Amino acid sequence: MVQQVLYRALVSTKWLAEAVRANKIGPELRVLDASWYEPGGKRDAQKEFRERHIPGASFFDIEECKDKSSPYEVMLPSEKHFADYVGRLGISNQTHVVVYDGDDLGTFYAPRAWWMFRVFGHRTVSVLNGGFKNWVKEGHPVTSESTRPEPAVFKASLNRSLLKTYEDMLENLESKRFQVVDSRSEGRYRGTEPEPGTQGLEPGHIPHTLNMPFFNFLTEEGFEKSTEEIRSMFQEKKVDLSKPLIATCRKGVTACHIALAAYLCGTPDVAIYDGSWSEWFRRAPPELKISEWKRHKA
């Protein structure tokens, strides 16, 4: 079998700072801030972006680039919706896209944007390792100036192998063809801690899933751990990266950290269950929802 050459999933703050300094932000290199925070919280992603961001960056609004007709939180948009949206950000099929976010962990939503580009057929996309938190900490430039890129033509082609549906997950319970990994915290996975944000959504997990909290892939400083450390983490959980794998979470966001971590280990084909627990909890029969919630609350 021919070894697939993988595009670099991470770029360093130093690399991007040099690109900014050399005025390389443009049609061939676009930078996107993909920050998102729970509505009504202390942080406002768009406000923070207007106040300061990486020079030349545009705001990638997850609330605009999603399926607004879906009852679930951030489901993928159509090919046309995605293509039109990123085209307005000056991104073509030839553009190298670098995504970051401003979360205190270092990276939270950026892997979701990274995966969205990949699922729509775009190979040249990277996550800024360390995120905006470390960009600022290291003294790299920030600006409040807005960028109005020249619109570009982007052609999206959905790669269905990277996307799983509720029906796919039901089928997998029988076939067990895919390993399934849940990226939420252990308490939410087991059903001993409440699910944040969404009213009426109890914690728990899909049967036969393994738990690998996404934040464990990050160092205390907010950088991605080394490939050796990540590979050991998968081995400890008995996840075989040579076999098919699906990642899930609450709404298809932190699951993308699993996909990114596996990609860094040379496994580029991890699929995301886009509806994740938000959909499974509402659609699956009670016997297919593993949870200690009611016992814990009693």
Side-chain angles (χ1 to χ4, degrees):
M1 187 174 74
V2 177
Q3 180 73 23
Q4 182 180 355
V5 177
L6 301 183
Y7 198 79
R8 52 183 168 174
L10 298 175
V11 297
S12 68
T13 49
K14 179 182 178 182
W15 181 91
L16 186 57
E18 289 175 353
V20 169
R21 194 177 304 115
N23 294 316
K24 290 184 178 179
I25 310 301
E28 295 182 2
L29 175 64
R30 294 290 183 196
V31 181
L32 302 179
D33 182 328
S35 301
W36 186 92
Y37 306 108
E38 292 285 352
K42 295 180 179 180
R43 300 188 67 176
D44 181 326
Q46 293 204 43
K47 179 175 181 291
E48 290 184 12
F49 177 80
R50 289 192 298 269
E51 292 171 350
R52 62 175 189 170
H53 52 263
I54 294 174
S58 298
F59 188 73
F60 183 86
D61 191 348
I62 196 76
E63 292 294 338
E64 289 299 319
C65 194
K66 71 175 185 179
D67 179 1
K68 295 183 181 182
S69 68
S70 173
Y72 309 114
E73 293 176 81
V74 289
M75 298 288 276
L76 276 180
S78 66
E79 290 172 323
K80 184 180 186 306
H81 185 161
F82 184 82
D84 290 347
Y85 183 80
V86 302
R88 290 194 298 272
L89 297 177
I91 295 167
S92 75
N93 296 91
Q94 286 71 51
T95 306
H96 177 196
V97 180
V98 174
V99 292
Y100 73 90
D101 63 68
D103 196 88
D104 290 337
L105 284 174
T107 300
F108 197 106
Y109 262 78
R112 169 72 183 190
W114 170 82
W115 173 77
M116 288 175 72
F117 275 96
R118 293 187 62 242
V119 82
F120 283 116
H122 195 66
R123 178 173 169 267
T124 54
V125 57
S126 310
V127 173
L128 178 64
N129 196 10
F132 192 61
K133 166 186 173 178
N134 283 289
W135 178 272
V136 172
K137 183 179 178 181
E138 293 168 9
H140 299 303
V142 297
T143 185
S144 61
E145 293 181 11
S146 60
T147 300
R148 293 181 176 82
E150 188 74 22
V153 175
F154 185 95
K155 294 182 180 179
S157 178
L158 182 63
N159 181 352
R160 294 191 178 277
S161 71
L162 296 180
L163 176 67
K164 296 300 174 186
T165 64
Y166 173 75
E167 290 74 20
D168 293 328
M169 300 302 287
L170 278 177
E171 189 278 331
N172 192 63
L173 288 180
E174 296 296 325
S175 69
K176 296 181 173 59
R177 194 163 66 87
F178 286 84
Q179 304 162 99
V180 184
V181 177
D182 190 317
S183 66
R184 291 171 299 156
S185 67
E186 183 182 358
R188 290 165 60 194
Y189 165 84
R190 289 174 51 206
T192 59
E193 295 175 4
E195 281 291 327
T198 306
Q199 294 293 326
L201 189 65
E202 294 179 8
H205 65 270
I206 301 166
H208 311 303
T209 61
L210 300 168
N211 182 219
M212 294 185 73
F214 78 95
F215 42 79
N216 288 339
F217 291 109
L218 301 173
T219 66
E220 289 185 10
E221 295 77 21
F223 295 97
E224 202 75 20
K225 287 183 178 177
S226 71
T227 302
E228 292 73 20
E229 288 175 291
I230 292 171
R231 189 173 283 113
S232 293
M233 290 168 65
F234 281 116
Q235 290 172 347
E236 286 170 11
K237 287 289 183 176
K238 295 182 169 54
V239 176
D240 187 344
L241 292 178
S242 70
K243 295 180 180 179
L245 176 62
I246 299 171
T248 183
C249 55
R250 179 184 121 201
K251 56 183 180 180
V253 172
T254 62
C256 298
H257 284 255
I258 302 287
L260 175 62
Y263 187 103
L264 292 171
C265 295
T267 301
D269 52 359
V270 173
I272 302 297
Y273 173 25
D274 201 26
S276 282
W277 183 248
S278 294
E279 181 181 35
W280 189 266
F281 179 78
R282 291 178 173 89
R283 295 186 64 182
E287 65 270 18
L288 297 183
K289 292 180 279 193
I290 310 300
S291 180
E292 299 176 31
W293 185 242
K294 289 182 173 60
R295 179 158 60 86
H296 178 72
K297 294 283 284 185

